[in-house]
Amino acid sequence: MPWKSKSHQSDNASSSNGLNSKQDNVSNSSPLVETRSDTASHGSTTSQNSSSTTHPSAQQWSYQRGAQSATTAAKQIEDDMQEVRNIIANYSIEPLEILHLVDRWLQQLVDEFFEQRDHFKYILYESWQNQELPNIKYDNNDPIRQIYAANKELEKARDNVLSHKSFNDLNSYLAQTDEQAIDEMKEKFNSLIGQYDQVLQHLEVIDKQINTTTGGDNYISDIRSKLSTLKILNNKESHTICIVGLEKAGKSTFINALLGFELLPIASERCTQIRTVLKPTLGNNDQQLFATATFYDDQEFQVFFSKMTKKTDENEAQLTQRKEAVLQKRESLKAKFPAEHFRVQSSNNVERERNDIIKRLNEYITGELYVNIIKEVAIYTDKLPGKNYELLDVPGFDSPIKEHRDAGLQAIKSADAFLFLTSGQQPSLTEPQITLLQEIQQNHFEAMQRAFGIITKLDLCQTATICHEHYRKTCAELVDKRFKPERIFAACPRIQIIDENSEEYQVIDRKLNSFGDDLAEGFSRSKEALDKFIKYELPKTHLKQLIDLGRTRLVRLVMERLNRIKEKQLLPSNLANVSIDEYIKQQNTENWDHLYYEGIFQPVFDEANTWHATIVSKNRAEFIDDVHQKFRDSFLDLTKEFVQRKFPIEKLVLEKYNAAKLQLNVHPVDTEIRARLSIELEKLVNQTSDILAEYLYHKYVSEMENLLNNICLQSQDLYCTKLTLEKCIIETHALVLRICRPVIMATLRYSYIDLTVKQDAIHELLCIAPIVAFNIANRPKPDTDGDLLGSQIQACAEFLADKTTTSSWAIRTLFRK
């Protein structure tokens, strides 16, 4: 029988010498040789009666050879089935792995039990109160007087100021109130914040007495900090409105329009480089103060200076040159530190002096060198649209200077409202704009509640159709970025600050009239909406935030403390009928926590740990023998019928649909049968694994569960593990199939004709489970011609031992003596 071609012999000479010798044994012992002689003899007898020139024995030889191959293949399959059955039953399962698996299962139960100790304590507390726990000395002297008063106050707050009715009434008030009720709103705010502060004081009393370990102090401090912030915001006399946008989006022009005259620079080059704040004029004590430039101190300057980075169009040498220029400029200004004040000195030439000051300020505001030198320029003017306004102009956030972008984000975070200006000439938002809005929503999501969208430069569109299309597209994109539709306006601020008699004014006015009211009246509408937001909606927002803080956080803290008092049984349910003094006299003095942990929980926990250690450590050998025997007996029982099957390969070959019938090709049928048998055998392994998993689950997991339930003898189901039988079956499958599948592949799946494939399967078995392969190769040899699989494993091991793989060291150690 042609086990291996010459080419195969040449390719695998180094790794299959053992294979060839064993194959020769198979061929020599095969009845194929004997059949050939019989057939030849028979042919010599019948040839005399044949009229054919071909000898009858020669005519039949092709079929006889195929029939003999079928018989040999069937015998090999039957032998391989017996062999793989014995190998899996005796060697494939690794009991130590199963031991570690069961150890982990038991540890999971112990961990679950430990994690639920406080839960059990809560459940058993009622039984202890009713004196139903055996062998327990009942006396409890729980000092509860100190938390009694705080508990009553929290219950009162829960039923009044923190009740659903109270919140519903406040929300209804917010929905119905109008712009005339600002003072009343602030009064409600101050009253409510005072009540919330008292609730926090009672919570602190309870936390101190029950020694809470849930981070209650941090929560209370956080809420107190938020209350303080809201109180400051509600009492603010001046509100900051931040103007942000791309460079040249018209921010300075819009601010000048709000003021009614050109105060900030609006040149074609980059304008605002320094944070600029427009503030209401000061009191009568300093009427002549017009502006202040505040400088960074030495420490602040060094921080910003060290973080200076290259602009997008700047190389390293240019950055160095710019840094040197900044140092020189700062040195020249040191005499003016910490702030430079600009005042109108003469009452006769006020306008001229102010214009001179504006020119000097514009140099600061537009000078790039001042970015890390001047912290802020504050200009005081009585031209603001409201008495409680502060307008903040920051550099464009698409500036190549990182400090500009950081300033824009910081300004938005601290502002009471911000106006996002975008050019209608480019209706689609640019990447810098989208990036800014994404950062706002990620880090300051609530800021979008304070956002106004201002679409500028629509007056530069050529036609009304283009204007309307750009307006529509820009509005849609702003709404998509979470701007409220009612706070989006198209505006032409330029017309507010130019001479009505100028030609520019006439051109813009004609366009606005032809483009519609949305653009013509957009600026005035945005100004009115902003004024309404600051005067009315902002206080309303602060009250709503206060209500939401109480509803979402303070109520939860109060309910948690009240529930914790109930869970810990710090206050009895009958205090409504019994005074606190009478209750204390009625209770025993022993601490329930100490009683539970030391007298109930810990003994059961210690016993479970001892049993666990005994199973997996002290009785390890007994466990290993038990697992091996259980798997072996179950597998042998399930495979009785499997190994008794016969395979009429010759008949199957004859029945097979095939164009070539002149020669019988046994190999495809042989391969098909082996594939089917391998799948069937793997299913039997799975069934055996199921039996083993169920056996282990009931013997160890269920027993541990029963042992842990000794924590309460009256209820044997107090503890229930989350570890299911299904999960144990899956994990057992993984361990069993890890070795059994390579064993099936190496032993049964491929015949000895498929030398290369069978050799690869043996290689895989050696790499995956070298110890199992060693046990197979060194098992007691049968009385027949030898152990074919064992010999093949030895030959493959010699080949793999010289390779550089993760398993080579183990293979060399096991197989080279």
Side-chain angles (χ1 to χ4, degrees):
M1 192 172 188
W3 295 106
K4 192 169 186 180
S5 66
K6 291 183 179 180
S7 61
H8 287 162
Q9 293 171 357
S10 176
D11 294 339
N12 298 294
S14 64
S15 61
S16 58
N17 291 334
L19 287 172
N20 292 334
S21 64
K22 294 302 177 181
Q23 293 150 13
D24 292 340
N25 291 338
V26 173
S27 299
N28 293 336
S29 62
S30 171
L32 182 59
V33 178
E34 187 175 325
T35 303
R36 286 177 179 175
S37 60
D38 291 345
T39 306
S41 175
H42 177 71
S44 64
T45 304
T46 58
S47 62
Q48 299 173 2
N49 299 326
S50 175
S51 61
S52 174
T53 58
T54 306
H55 207 277
S57 61
Q59 294 173 354
Q60 293 297 318
W61 172 246
S62 175
Y63 177 82
Q64 291 295 336
R65 181 177 58 185
Q68 182 60 38
S69 297
T71 302
T72 302
K75 180 64 170 60
Q76 287 179 353
I77 290 175
E78 293 169 8
D79 291 343
D80 289 346
M81 290 170 60
Q82 288 288 351
E83 184 173 31
V84 74
R85 183 192 189 211
N86 292 332
I87 289 173
I88 291 177
N90 292 292
Y91 304 105
S92 64
I93 190 172
E94 186 57 62
L96 276 175
E97 289 183 336
I98 303 296
L99 176 64
H100 283 282
L101 180 62
V102 172
D103 175 51
R104 183 161 55 81
W105 292 349
L106 298 180
Q107 187 60 48
Q108 178 177 332
L109 267 68
V110 173
D111 291 342
E112 288 176 354
F113 184 78
F114 184 82
E115 290 172 358
Q116 296 183 61
R117 58 176 183 169
D118 291 336
H119 174 66
F120 297 146
K121 182 181 72 173
Y122 168 72
I123 294 176
L124 294 176
Y125 186 81
E126 184 176 355
S127 297
W128 175 72
Q129 286 284 75
N130 297 329
Q131 300 188 8
E132 295 172 355
L133 299 180
N135 303 323
I136 297 296
K137 182 180 180 181
Y138 290 93
D139 58 350
N140 179 23
N141 184 19
D142 220 358
I144 62 172
R145 190 188 302 275
Q146 298 178 19
I147 65 172
Y148 176 74
N151 181 78
K152 295 294 289 184
E153 290 299 323
L154 289 182
E155 289 179 338
K156 181 179 178 181
R158 177 198 61 191
D159 298 334
N160 293 284
V161 66
L162 299 179
S163 67
H164 288 294
K165 182 180 182 305
S166 176
F167 291 127
N168 290 337
D169 290 344
L170 287 170
N171 287 325
S172 297
Y173 170 79
L174 284 176
Q176 298 171 7
T177 188
D178 56 23
E179 300 178 25
Q180 307 301 321
I182 297 175
D183 293 338
E184 182 181 352
M185 253 195 302
K186 290 193 173 184
E187 184 179 344
K188 279 186 175 293
F189 180 95
N190 291 328
S191 174
L192 190 61
I193 206 169
Q195 292 175 302
Y196 285 178
D197 187 68
Q198 290 181 358
V199 170
L200 291 177
Q201 294 178 24
H202 298 316
L203 287 172
E204 288 173 334
V205 170
I206 291 180
D207 285 352
K208 181 179 179 180
Q209 295 302 322
I210 65 177
N211 296 320
T212 180
T213 58
T214 59
D217 290 341
N218 293 333
Y219 292 143
I220 291 174
S221 297
D222 183 53
I223 293 178
R224 194 181 295 282
S225 174
K226 291 185 180 300
L227 290 179
S228 177
T229 300
L230 283 174
K231 189 173 183 180
I232 293 172
L233 292 175
N234 190 64
N235 295 332
K236 280 181 69 173
E237 295 183 359
S238 182
H239 298 284
T240 303
I241 301 168
C242 179
I243 315 294
V244 297
L246 297 177
E247 291 184 341
K248 309 311 299 176
K251 301 186 299 298
S252 298
T253 300
F254 192 88
I255 292 177
N256 288 339
L258 289 175
L259 299 176
F261 71 102
E262 286 194 18
L263 175 61
L264 299 182
I266 54 174
S268 58
E269 66 274 7
R270 183 179 301 131
C271 295
T272 305
Q273 302 287 328
I274 304 298
R275 169 188 168 99
T276 306
V277 185
L278 278 70
K279 298 184 177 183
T281 54
L282 300 176
N284 296 328
N285 296 333
D286 206 349
Q287 288 287 345
Q288 303 303 313
L289 181 63
F290 184 74
T292 299
T294 305
F295 299 95
Y296 288 114
D297 60 28
D298 290 341
Q299 183 177 358
E300 291 172 326
F301 172 76
Q302 290 300 329
V303 171
F304 286 112
F305 184 78
S306 65
K307 293 181 179 179
M308 285 182 64
T309 58
K310 291 187 296 185
K311 296 186 289 185
T312 54
D313 57 349
E314 191 176 46
N315 58 36
E316 196 66 39
Q318 290 170 328
L319 173 62
T320 302
Q321 185 178 1
R322 182 159 61 93
K323 283 187 172 183
E324 291 176 355
V326 169
L327 290 173
Q328 293 175 4
K329 180 62 69 174
R330 186 172 190 270
E331 189 66 26
S332 68
L333 293 172
K334 275 194 172 182
K336 301 178 180 181
F337 287 6
E340 181 179 3
H341 302 287
F342 299 87
R343 303 175 186 274
V344 178
Q345 302 295 338
S346 173
S347 58
N348 297 327
N349 298 303
V350 173
E351 192 65 27
R352 181 178 61 80
E353 289 192 34
R354 285 192 175 185
N355 289 335
D356 291 340
I357 292 174
I358 289 175
K359 289 180 181 180
R360 293 166 62 188
L361 290 174
N362 285 349
E363 179 185 352
Y364 282 164
I365 294 172
T366 60
E368 186 177 301
L369 293 178
Y370 298 104
V371 171
N372 293 321
I373 299 175
I374 298 178
K375 180 186 296 186
E376 177 182 279
V377 171
I379 302 175
Y380 300 89
T381 175
D382 57 0
K383 302 297 185 180
L384 290 169
K387 294 181 179 180
N388 56 349
Y389 276 25
E390 285 186 4
L391 296 180
L392 174 59
D393 185 19
V394 295
F397 51 81
D398 59 333
S399 167
I401 302 175
K402 182 178 182 297
E403 293 87 341
H404 289 170
R405 300 190 292 273
D406 294 341
L409 279 175
Q410 185 60 35
I412 291 171
K413 177 182 177 182
S414 58
D416 297 292
F418 75 93
L419 276 59
F420 180 85
L421 270 63
T422 181
S423 173
Q425 287 293 92
Q426 188 175 7
S428 297
L429 296 181
T430 63
E431 182 178 350
Q433 288 176 306
I434 294 173
T435 300
L436 173 70
L437 293 174
Q438 287 176 342
E439 291 184 8
I440 292 173
Q441 293 178 21
Q442 290 172 1
N443 302 316
H444 315 294
F445 181 78
E446 80 290 346
M448 297 309 297
Q449 304 298 319
R450 303 179 267 118
F452 288 76
I454 308 296
I455 307 171
T456 62
K457 300 190 178 182
L458 285 174
D459 55 295
L460 299 180
C461 295
Q462 297 300 318
T463 65
T465 301
I466 296 176
C467 174
H468 295 159
E469 180 65 18
H470 284 201
Y471 174 67
R472 183 186 62 80
K473 287 183 179 180
T474 309
C475 280
E477 294 216 17
L478 290 176
V479 170
D480 183 63
K481 300 305 179 186
R482 300 185 182 273
F483 282 86
K484 294 183 178 181
E486 64 272 17
R487 292 187 185 163
I488 299 175
F489 302 93
C492 178
R494 176 63 180 164
I495 199 172
Q496 307 295 323
I497 55 176
I498 58 178
D499 187 356
E500 293 183 5
N501 298 318
S502 66
E503 182 180 353
E504 181 184 3
Y505 182 92
Q506 299 301 326
V507 172
I508 296 175
D509 185 58
R510 282 195 299 270
K511 275 194 172 184
L512 296 185
N513 290 331
S514 64
F515 287 176
D517 292 343
D518 286 336
L519 184 56
E521 300 179 9
F523 179 80
S524 60
R525 290 175 180 174
S526 66
K527 189 175 178 181
E528 292 173 0
L530 185 61
D531 187 63
K532 178 181 177 182
F533 177 79
I534 294 297
K535 291 181 178 179
Y536 169 65
E537 293 185 15
L538 204 55
K540 185 176 180 180
T541 299
H542 295 154
L543 179 56
K544 186 178 186 306
Q545 289 176 342
L546 181 62
I547 295 170
D548 290 341
L549 181 65
R551 180 175 56 83
T552 60
R553 300 194 60 180
L554 198 56
V555 168
R556 179 169 61 84
L557 282 181
V558 169
M559 296 306 297
E560 283 179 355
R561 297 308 182 272
L562 293 176
N563 288 335
R564 188 172 298 132
I565 291 173
K566 291 181 180 179
E567 290 172 2
K568 292 179 175 292
Q569 297 290 321
L570 298 178
L571 290 175
S573 57
N574 63 342
L575 272 183
N577 303 320
V578 179
S579 69
I580 187 68
D581 293 331
E582 292 174 346
Y583 170 74
I584 292 176
K585 291 179 182 179
Q586 294 172 0
Q587 301 306 306
N588 16 40
T589 58
E590 187 163 345
N591 186 296
W592 163 239
D593 283 353
H594 176 78
L595 173 65
Y596 169 77
Y597 289 124
E598 300 297 326
I600 300 176
F601 176 83
Q602 198 61 42
V604 175
F605 189 69
D606 292 342
E607 183 180 359
N609 279 305
T610 300
W611 185 79
H612 179 193
T614 301
I615 293 299
V616 301
S617 182
K618 183 178 180 180
N619 297 339
R620 175 181 296 193
E622 179 181 338
F623 176 93
I624 290 174
D625 292 339
D626 182 52
V627 168
H628 185 275
Q629 190 65 37
K630 182 64 179 179
F631 181 86
R632 184 179 187 279
D633 293 346
S634 301
F635 182 74
L636 292 177
D637 184 65
L638 289 174
T639 54
K640 284 180 181 178
E641 295 181 3
F642 177 81
V643 296
Q644 293 173 0
R645 295 165 60 180
K646 303 297 181 181
F647 305 94
I649 294 182
E650 179 182 349
K651 179 175 179 296
L652 295 174
V653 172
L654 294 174
E655 294 173 349
K656 192 169 185 66
Y657 175 79
N658 197 311
K661 294 290 188 179
L662 294 177
Q663 288 82 31
L664 298 184
N665 187 358
V666 175
H667 188 251
V669 176
D670 181 16
T671 301
E672 181 180 346
I673 291 174
R674 287 177 178 274
R676 189 168 61 251
L677 290 173
S678 297
I679 294 174
E680 183 177 348
L681 184 58
E682 187 171 317
K683 292 180 179 179
L684 293 173
V685 170
N686 280 337
Q687 294 178 27
T688 309
S689 178
D690 291 348
I691 294 172
L692 178 63
E694 188 170 357
Y695 172 77
L696 295 174
Y697 185 87
H698 291 300
K699 183 170 184 178
Y700 297 105
V701 176
S702 297
E703 182 61 27
M704 173 66 88
E705 188 176 34
N706 293 334
L707 187 63
L708 293 173
N709 268 309
N710 287 334
I711 191 171
C712 182
L713 299 177
Q714 292 83 356
S715 176
Q716 285 299 310
D717 58 352
L718 183 64
Y719 165 74
C720 183
T721 180
K722 297 177 182 178
L723 181 63
T724 63
L725 175 59
E726 288 74 17
K727 183 178 180 182
C728 294
I729 289 175
I730 292 172
E731 293 182 346
T732 306
H733 276 187
L735 288 183
V736 173
L737 287 179
R738 182 181 67 84
I739 297 178
C740 287
R741 184 176 284 119
V743 168
I744 293 171
M745 293 295 104
T747 308
L748 177 63
R749 177 62 183 85
Y750 306 105
S751 70
Y752 292 90
I753 298 175
D754 296 320
L755 289 181
T756 302
V757 182
K758 191 172 186 69
Q759 185 182 57
D760 289 342
I762 295 172
H763 285 181
E764 185 172 2
L765 174 62
L766 278 162
C767 293
I768 292 176
I771 294 178
V772 174
F774 177 82
N775 291 334
I776 296 172
N778 291 275
R779 59 185 167 162
K781 302 297 187 295
D783 296 330
T784 59
D785 293 332
D787 182 4
L788 293 179
L789 181 62
S791 300
Q792 293 177 50
I793 290 175
Q794 291 284 0
C796 292
E798 287 295 322
F799 173 72
L800 292 177
D802 296 327
K803 300 292 181 180
T804 304
T805 65
T806 55
S807 303
S808 296
W809 180 85
I811 294 172
R812 284 196 297 270
T813 303
L814 290 169
F815 288 90
R816 288 186 176 177
K817 301 179 181 178

